[in-house]
Amino acid sequence: MHIGEQLPALEIPVTRTLIVAGAVASRDYQDVHHDVESARQKGSPDIFMNILTTNGLVGRYITDHFGPTAELRRVAIRLGAPNYPGDTMVLTGAVEEVEGDTATVRVVGENSVGRHVTGTVTVTVPPDAPPQTPSGTASGTASGGAR
C-alpha cells in the first residue's frame, strides 16, 4: 500500500434487480427505487440506485482490493449522476494517503450519464494481510444474478 497506488477498475452492471434488491435490503422503500411510473411522475426517466447501495458497492470495491481483513474506518461519498438500469458503473480508485497500516483511497464511480459517485474511504489493513487481486468485473451477486 503506497501513495499513488491505482486500484484496478471494477465494472458493475446496473440491473433492475440490483437497484430494487439494494433498496429493499437497506429498507429504503422510496418508490423511485422500484416503481418506474412513480419515478417518471417525479421527473426521472426510470428507477435509480439509492445511496446506500452505492455506499455498499464502494465498500466492496475497497475490500475486494485490500482483502477480507481490511477494516473500513470511514466512507465519505457524494452522489452525482444517477445509476439507471441497463448502464454500467465503473469504479476506480487511488491511494492518496498512507499512515502506518491505514490508507485513504479516493474513489470515483462513472456511468454513461457521468460521475455517479465520488469520495474517500479510509481503510486499515493488518500488516500480515495477503494482497488481493479483484477480477475487474462484478460477480453475479453484485449485479443481481445468481452464482
Side-chain angles (χ1 to χ4, degrees), residues 55 58-60 62-63 70-75 121-124:
N55 195 64
V58 166
R60 176 246 169 139
I62 297 299
T63 58
E71 296 178 20
L72 302 180
R73 298 294 186 181
R74 181 173 186 269
V75 178
V121 177
T122 303
V123 58
T124 298

Side-chain angles (χ1 to χ4, degrees), residues 62-146:
I62 297 299
T63 58
D64 274 3
H65 181 72
F66 290 104
T69 60
E71 296 178 20
L72 302 180
R73 298 294 186 181
R74 181 173 186 269
V75 178
I77 61 171
R78 180 177 299 253
L79 293 184
N83 261 341
Y84 293 119
D87 208 342
T88 298
M89 178 174 63
V90 179
L91 290 169
T92 56
V95 176
E96 289 189 329
E97 296 176 30
V98 176
E99 187 173 318
D101 59 357
T102 301
T104 300
V105 181
R106 163 87 32 209
V107 176
V108 174
E110 295 184 328
N111 59 37
S112 67
V113 180
R115 198 165 270 187
H116 171 68
V117 62
T118 56
T120 57
V121 177
T122 303
V123 58
T124 298
V125 181
D128 57 344
Q132 300 293 305
T133 307
S135 65
T137 59
S139 70
T141 303
S143 62

